[in-house]
Amino acid sequence: MPNFQVLATVRMTPQGAALTPEQKKELQDIAQRIVAPGKGILAADESVGSMAKRLAQIGLLFSADDRIDNCIGGVIFFHETLYQKADDGTPFINMIKDRGIVVGIKVDKGLVPIAGTNGETTSQGLDGLAERCAQYKKDGADFAKWRCVLKISDTTPSHLAITDNANVLARYANICQQNGIVPIVEPEILPDGDHDLKRCQYVTQKVLAAVYKAMADYHVYLEGTLLKPNMVTPGHSCPMKYTPEQIAMATVTALRRTVPPAVAGVTFLSGGQSEEEASVNLNAINNCHLGKPWALTFSFGRALQASALSTWRGQKENASNATEEFIKRAKVNSLASQGKYTGSGDCTGATGHSLYATHYAY
Ligand code: 13P
């Protein structure tokens, strides 16, 4: 009669170590550098119009002086921009690395429909990902981003979309870590809809619980990962209004229920909030009295660049003012990531404008 208890134990033993202690240390060090106190991420991987425009935009962000060095721990590039050079011929990668900022790369290849669902999607890009990661690592990148999207409606997110996206994120994270790349895991729940704060919290918990189950199944080394979630907010068309403290409480509660303390840091996306709203909410999150075992900081795209872009308007003569606007937002968010932002009360101009767009595409 076989001893089933022993058989079960043998089967549960890992078949091989996923990572060596040296690989683990490297991943953990990278993750911690990105989210060191007061630091967050500039997500510069959005597809803004033409290539020329995107390059010029990135150039003006990177021409910011050393005032941003204590605020920005990492920059996420697009494949094309990663290999570009500044006007004086210096590769962007070198410009960023020389200032102690970690270079990141967006590696998913966009959203694709899951047929038979109510408009739900998964993200593609796993084919050849190991080779791409190995090359990016050689070329100077130390972290990556992969974005999945989930939608809230009466019928979504479905169980299928939740599990499919969780598994794809875990597979991506497993592949990145094999190549010395820290994966940023982004299961974004869109703000589209009229759902209230409670429903967003419920869905966020379901999605994050599935993500961390999949991460455990795929042997992902959590200390060498970052999570990029949505803040828990009401839907964009929800008639009810909530305070930053209510948003903070719902967000931190959802994270505490689902995200293991081993995860190196949580870097929120801004998701169409105005610049000011995103900063004030991040600040409230950091002041929430519940225990918070992770760094809670920003990985903003729109909420770090909107003022700079509206000042710049593609005109060379506006470039230095635009750079100043970017530095201002970087400093504000650095303070917010430490719970030290007192708010500008500025709801005029780009800082107060909602940056929401339905089904925002990157
Ligand atoms: P937003 O902050 O504009 O939502 O963008 C962050 C990002 O990188 C989403 O993938």
Side-chain angles (χ1 to χ4, degrees):
M1 170 91 178
N3 182 333
F4 288 110
Q5 207 169 355
V6 171
L7 280 180
T9 314
V10 168
R11 271 206 213 103
M12 289 299 286
T13 308
Q15 298 301 298
L19 296 163
T20 63
E22 293 72 29
Q23 285 176 307
K24 287 184 182 172
K25 179 165 189 319
E26 188 193 4
L27 291 167
Q28 187 168 5
D29 287 349
I30 295 167
Q32 285 176 353
R33 274 180 58 208
I34 299 170
V35 298
K39 293 189 180 179
I41 298 172
L42 165 64
D45 59 316
E46 293 150 87
S47 35
V48 282
S50 72
M51 187 62 200
K53 203 165 154 203
R54 191 185 303 157
L55 278 177
Q57 177 189 336
I58 285 190
L60 76 87
L61 300 179
F62 294 169
S63 59
D65 56 39
D66 58 9
R67 283 175 287 166
I68 63 157
D69 294 2
N70 293 326
C71 309
I72 304 291
V75 175
I76 311 174
F77 285 84
F78 221 67
H79 175 83
E80 295 91 329
T81 39
L82 185 71
Y83 294 104
Q84 297 298 326
K85 298 185 170 107
D87 290 346
D88 68 359
T90 319
F92 281 158
I93 298 185
N94 298 11
M95 274 170 77
I96 294 302
K97 284 191 100 126
D98 289 351
R99 328 177 50 156
I101 299 174
V102 187
V103 172
I105 175 78
K106 170 198 170 75
V107 297
D108 70 78
K109 294 199 165 179
L111 305 179
V112 281
I114 307 177
T117 62
N118 182 9
E120 298 188 277
T121 56
T122 185
S123 300
Q124 60 188 348
L126 287 176
D127 284 359
L129 180 60
E131 292 75 17
R132 288 194 286 134
C133 283
Q135 190 62 48
Y136 286 137
K137 180 77 183 179
K138 261 195 222 148
D139 296 339
D142 285 309
F143 73 101
K145 156 184 152 174
W146 179 293
R147 176 174 181 254
C148 282
V149 169
L150 295 127
K151 292 180 195 168
I152 301 183
S153 72
D154 290 347
T155 56
T156 63
S158 64
H159 179 72
L160 174 67
I162 292 176
T163 49
D164 180 275
N165 282 293
N167 283 336
V168 111
L169 282 168
R171 284 268 290 125
Y172 139 81
N174 172 295
I175 293 168
C176 284
Q177 291 193 327
Q178 289 301 311
N179 291 285
I181 299 263
V182 166
I184 296 197
V185 173
E186 180 177 357
E188 173 172 6
I189 300 163
L190 292 180
D192 304 60
D194 62 1
H195 52 273
D196 62 11
L197 188 67
K198 211 168 132 201
R199 175 132 169 86
C200 183
Q201 182 186 328
Y202 176 81
V203 172
T204 302
Q205 287 170 190
K206 288 288 173 207
V207 167
L208 292 179
V211 166
Y212 285 102
K213 165 72 170 91
M215 300 276 271
D217 289 345
Y218 281 90
H219 317 287
V220 175
Y221 174 61
L222 296 180
E223 290 83 344
T225 64
L226 296 169
L227 172 68
K228 176 161 173 163
N230 49 284
M231 294 181 192
V232 174
T233 59
H236 195 259
S237 335
C238 175
M240 303 247 291
K241 295 286 164 251
Y242 298 86
T243 63
E245 288 68 33
Q246 288 172 312
I247 286 170
M249 180 57 86
T251 303
V252 177
T253 301
L255 296 177
R256 280 166 51 87
R257 289 178 178 170
T258 54
V259 183
V263 171
V266 176
T267 62
F268 293 100
L269 58 95
S270 60
Q273 299 180 66
S274 75
E275 290 182 333
E276 190 59 17
E277 216 179 342
S279 305
V280 167
N281 286 337
L282 179 62
N283 192 63
I285 286 170
N286 276 288
N287 285 324
C288 174
H289 72 271
L290 300 174
K292 303 173 289 288
W294 339 260
L296 295 165
T297 185
F298 58 92
S299 175
F300 294 164
R302 284 164 280 176
L304 260 177
Q305 298 170 60
S307 292
L309 288 183
S310 72
T311 303
W312 175 49
R313 280 184 263 108
Q315 305 298 316
K316 227 181 175 142
E317 62 272 21
N318 297 333
S320 65
N321 286 343
T323 304
E324 283 304 312
E325 291 296 326
F326 167 60
I327 295 171
K328 200 155 93 188
R329 276 343 286 178
K331 282 178 150 178
V332 161
N333 287 311
S334 170
L335 288 171
S337 73
Q338 302 167 84
K340 293 181 186 162
Y341 179 50
T342 46
S344 69
D346 179 9
C347 287
T348 59
T351 58
H353 278 171
S354 167
L355 303 171
Y356 170 78
T358 35
H359 307 303
Y360 190 77
Y362 286 87

